Amino acid sequence: GGGGGGGGGGAFDLRVRDLSTLLPSVAGHGLGGAKGGDMSYSGLHTWGSAVALAQLVVRDPTMVAGKNVIELGAGTGLPSLAASRYATRVTASDRSEELLANVRHNASLNEGSLMGGLGRLGTRVLLWEEADGCPPEAYQVVLGAELMHEVPTMQALARTVVHLLRGGGAFY
């Protein structure tokens, strides 16, 4: 169905390339496990929480409409893709250029669905442990799905979100 004006967003399809299928040995590595699971592959998979966050953005586009948005730990970039349809600017960030190359690939797969959003979507490498190296611009919205895996990560995430939202805003 279509949404108009200030109501809910209209339905549309987004496709992403999930690279976790290229790594059959990952299944035994305990992705996301609290006991030191190998998180180096976590960005190759579209997690259920990323699907839910993208659906939330589509159902209530006012949460990102007309705002500068950054997604932390973007992985395949699904929430960033959804937000780019409505936001003024979206930055998909993750810890490596290789992961961000897949986000850009996924954006190109969805150019028609994004209604011009492809031009509003950028990427950047961002390491939470280096909060001082965060982008100098402030954001009004920070998006994140499946971000917290261990206590040091949580502390670095909290510092990064505070830095990014220094002008005020929301973290979803």
Side-chain angles (χ1 to χ4, degrees), residues 60-81:
D60 184 10
T62 60
M63 63 191 276
V64 298
K67 297 175 181 159
N68 289 327
V69 177
I70 187 167
E71 182 183 5
L72 301 178
T76 62
L78 185 60
S80 288
L81 293 172

Side-chain angles (χ1 to χ4, degrees), residues 1-122:
F12 60 98
D13 293 324
L14 291 174
R15 299 181 330 224
V16 294
R17 177 174 62 178
D18 190 312
L19 297 175
S20 63
T21 58
L22 301 177
L23 299 165
S25 62
V26 172
H29 286 245
L31 284 180
K35 296 187 178 188
D38 186 352
M39 293 311 303
S40 62
Y41 301 116
S42 64
L44 302 177
H45 177 72
T46 302
W47 298 94
S49 58
V51 173
L53 183 55
Q55 289 172 337
L56 178 64
V57 168
V58 172
R59 280 195 304 271
D60 184 10
T62 60
M63 63 191 276
V64 298
K67 297 175 181 159
N68 289 327
V69 177
I70 187 167
E71 182 183 5
L72 301 178
T76 62
L78 185 60
S80 288
L81 293 172
S84 72
R85 185 167 168 146
Y86 312 105
T88 298
R89 181 84 181 130
V90 177
T91 302
S93 70
D94 216 312
R95 68 184 175 278
S96 76
E97 182 54 43
E98 292 78 17
L99 291 170
L100 296 174
N102 192 43
V103 172
R104 290 188 296 273
H105 172 81
N106 291 334
S108 69
L109 289 176
N110 294 286
E111 190 169 1
S113 296
L114 298 180
M115 296 177 59
L118 189 58
R120 294 186 292 271
L121 178 64

